[in-house]
């Protein structure tokens, strides 16, 4: 089967969507499919069966860039024969939209002040005015509800599959985390008595780094060993948050480290993973932390929170900006027994959810959609 996957830039250092896309490409190639990656750039080697088809690289203006890329992809798809095409971005000509970024929120005032949102809305019109509309693979129930609410898509065109099936259960495991813990902490210069909260992400504002630093400063007045490790590749934004930490008197307790090729090292160095996102379709790092048996604090506006039960296998913050509530959740994990219980329950929930899935895996769903596409309308009627 010939499969086209479209993504503006395939660079795993950019975030969870790119990491998940690379893992999907690898799985599809392992299943014997030819996978063409239509992308402006590809920073990683593709598996056997994978091929990079270079797309034009437009000017770095967010909305315009997305529009030009989508238009170039549409032209490529018209001139190439694929069994199915999957957009891992904001394309409009693909058969399937893998909705890592959620649905575009329609607020008229924002369109007036943001050309980027205007272009996104234009792409959405081209997507959803098609007959029939594309299939949506939503990474959480939250995202599925957004597409139904915003675009009125029929239920049979929306499929909810989170990214849990793309995570290697041996690589991301309590055993591997424990094995790497001492060398990882030593490399990062962490003392044995330091209690490490890990934040991992590139979009620091949306992922909630500000309220986390504010909660850290509040909690450290009674818990001096508390420190924060911020891992990601968005180094140009660090200055703003370093300034905030200095203002709050906790600059010495906040460390910024660059993206790591092996994120398990970061989970190994940490005692708690915290991602109080203001909005996140389904943060892959949250599920990876659960797989590693690391206690997790996240917000209800992270689609990955759907995998948790508050107080049983994770801690869920009702409002991402609630600094007092976030500090209180951190204090809950000061107790080692509580951390062990939550971490163990998180790993158990991860494994149970992965094994109990009664829906097809992501590669299986893609194969099913390709098979349905190949059936002529007259034969299917």
């Amino acid at each position: 089967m010939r499969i086209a996957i479209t993504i503006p830039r395939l660079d795993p250092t950019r975030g969870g969507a790119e990491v998940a896309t690379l893992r999907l490409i690898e799985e599809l190639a392992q299943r014997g499919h030819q996978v063409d990656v239509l992308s402006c750039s590809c920073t990683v080697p593709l598996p056997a069966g994978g091929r990079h088809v270079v797309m034009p690289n437009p000017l770095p203006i967010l909305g315009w860039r997305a529009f030009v890329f989508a238009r170039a992809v549409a032209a490529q798809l018209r001139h190439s024969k694929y069994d199915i095409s999957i957009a891992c971005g904001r394309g409009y000509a693909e058969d399937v939209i893998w909705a890592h970024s959620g649905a575009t929120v329609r607020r008229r005032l924002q369109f007036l002040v943001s050309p980027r949102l205007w272009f996104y809305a234009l792409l959405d019109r081209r997507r959803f005015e098609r007959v029939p509309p594309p299939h949506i693979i939503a990474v959480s129930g939250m995202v599925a509800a957004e597409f139904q609410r915003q675009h009125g898509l029929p239920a049979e065109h929306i499929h909810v599959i989170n990214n849990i099936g793309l995570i290697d259960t041996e690589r991301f495991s309590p055993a591997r985390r424990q094995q790497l813990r001492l060398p990882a902490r030593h490399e990062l210069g962490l003392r044995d008595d330091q209690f490490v909260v890990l934040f991992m992400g590139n979009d620091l504002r949306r992922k909630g780094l500000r309220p986390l630093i504010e909660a850290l400063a509040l909690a450290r007045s009674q818990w001096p060993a508390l420190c924060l490790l911020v891992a990601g590749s968005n180094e140009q934004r660090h200055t703003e948050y370093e300034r905030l930490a200095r203002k709050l008197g906790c600059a010495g307790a906040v460390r910024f480290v660059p993206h790591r090729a092996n994120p398990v090292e970061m989970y190994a160095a940490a005692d708690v993973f915290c991602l109080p996102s203001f909005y996140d379709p389904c943060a892959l790092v949250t599920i990876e932390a659960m797989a590693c048996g690391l206690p997790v604090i996240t917000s209800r506006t992270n689609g990955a929170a759907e995998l948790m039960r508050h107080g049983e296998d994770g801690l869920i913050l009702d409002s991402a900006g609630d600094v007092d509530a976030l500090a209180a959740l951190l204090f809950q994990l000061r107790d080692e027994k509580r951390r062990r219980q939550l971490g163990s329950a998180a790993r158990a929930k991860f494994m149970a959810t992965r094994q109990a899935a009664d829906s097809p895996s992501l590669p299986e769903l893609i194969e099913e959609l390709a098979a349905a596409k190949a059936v002529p309308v007259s034969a299917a009627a």
Side-chain angles (χ1 to χ4, degrees):
M1 186 181 294
R2 287 193 70 204
I3 299 173
I5 289 184
T6 72
I7 184 169
R9 291 171 298 285
L10 184 56
D11 178 0
T13 67
R14 290 177 56 84
E18 288 78 8
V19 171
T21 299
L22 179 59
R23 292 179 188 170
L24 175 61
I25 293 166
E26 292 168 347
E27 287 205 13
L28 290 171
Q30 288 174 4
R31 295 170 77 92
H33 302 302
Q34 177 186 326
V35 183
D36 282 5
V37 180
L38 280 57
S39 180
C40 300
S41 63
C42 179
T43 65
V44 289
L46 297 175
R51 182 173 70 111
H52 181 208
V53 179
V54 182
M55 293 286 101
N57 194 6
L59 292 172
I61 304 170
L62 276 177
W64 174 248
R65 174 188 286 176
F67 180 77
V68 171
F69 176 75
R71 192 170 58 181
V73 163
Q76 178 70 23
L77 294 177
R78 281 196 301 270
H79 293 94
S80 302
K81 185 174 177 56
Y82 292 104
D83 295 285
I84 195 165
S85 54
I86 303 140
C88 302
R90 297 185 178 273
Y92 60 82
E94 293 87 339
D95 302 303
V96 177
I97 308 297
W98 192 13
H100 286 286
S101 57
T104 304
V105 177
R106 297 178 176 180
R107 294 193 181 104
R108 184 170 298 176
L109 182 61
Q110 286 186 330
F111 291 155
L112 294 176
V113 299
S114 173
R116 175 174 60 91
L117 288 180
W118 188 89
F119 278 114
Y120 288 172
L122 176 60
L123 290 173
D124 277 350
R125 286 199 297 274
R126 292 198 174 190
R127 279 181 183 181
F128 300 115
E129 286 175 358
R130 292 162 43 190
V131 179
H135 285 266
I136 301 295
I137 299 178
V139 292
S140 64
M142 179 180 77
V143 170
E146 288 173 5
F147 274 94
Q148 285 186 309
R149 183 170 60 251
Q150 294 286 338
H151 305 293
L153 294 177
E156 62 270 19
H157 275 251
I158 301 179
H159 316 267
V160 180
I161 299 182
N162 60 48
N163 292 328
I164 201 167
L166 298 176
I167 294 176
D168 186 328
T169 57
E170 294 185 3
R171 180 185 176 203
F172 295 91
S173 68
R176 185 62 177 151
R177 177 174 155 248
Q178 189 60 38
Q179 183 183 29
L180 292 174
R181 181 170 174 80
L182 289 178
R185 287 178 71 98
H186 177 75
E187 182 185 347
L188 290 166
L190 296 169
R191 301 189 312 272
D192 292 342
D193 66 329
Q194 284 184 294
F195 185 94
V196 178
V197 178
L198 173 64
F199 172 101
M200 193 180 299
N202 293 330
D203 191 339
L204 306 182
R205 186 183 302 275
R206 179 170 58 85
K207 302 281 185 178
L209 182 56
R210 172 174 286 272
L212 179 52
I213 292 176
E214 292 172 345
L216 178 85
L218 185 63
R220 270 181 57 83
S221 61
Q222 301 176 54
W223 192 1
L226 193 62
C227 67
L228 174 62
L229 204 58
V230 180
S233 59
N234 198 354
E235 296 179 12
Q236 65 269 28
R237 295 296 304 278
H238 290 177
T239 303
E240 171 187 347
Y241 295 98
E242 289 170 343
R243 187 163 53 245
L244 173 65
R246 284 196 301 271
K247 178 182 175 182
L248 296 174
C250 62
V254 180
R255 290 268 307 278
F256 293 86
V257 296
H259 172 83
R260 296 292 181 99
N262 183 11
V264 183
E265 295 174 354
M266 304 308 300
Y267 300 125
D271 298 289
V272 173
F273 179 79
C274 187
L275 195 74
S277 295
F278 287 95
Y279 176 80
D280 219 317
C282 186
L284 185 69
V285 288
T286 309
I287 309 176
E288 289 177 346
M290 292 178 68
C292 289
L294 192 62
V296 170
I297 300 173
T298 193
S299 53
R300 202 165 294 282
T301 42
N302 176 2
E306 296 172 5
L307 300 173
M308 304 175 190
R309 289 179 66 89
H310 177 67
E312 295 184 12
D313 42 45
L315 297 178
I316 302 174
L317 187 66
D318 286 325
S319 174
D322 191 337
V323 173
D324 291 335
L326 181 53
L329 292 181
L330 287 171
F331 268 116
Q332 280 195 35
L333 297 176
R334 191 173 184 177
D335 179 69
E336 183 178 355
K337 183 178 179 181
R338 178 67 168 147
R339 291 199 306 276
R340 289 181 182 276
Q341 179 267 323
L342 275 180
S344 177
R347 170 67 179 189
K349 172 60 75 69
F350 167 82
M351 293 300 295
T353 304
R354 184 183 173 97
Q355 294 164 3
D358 54 4
S359 58
S361 68
L362 184 54
E364 289 169 345
L365 175 61
I366 290 169
E367 291 166 349
E368 289 179 10
L369 293 176
K373 176 188 172 187
V375 177
V377 174
S378 57

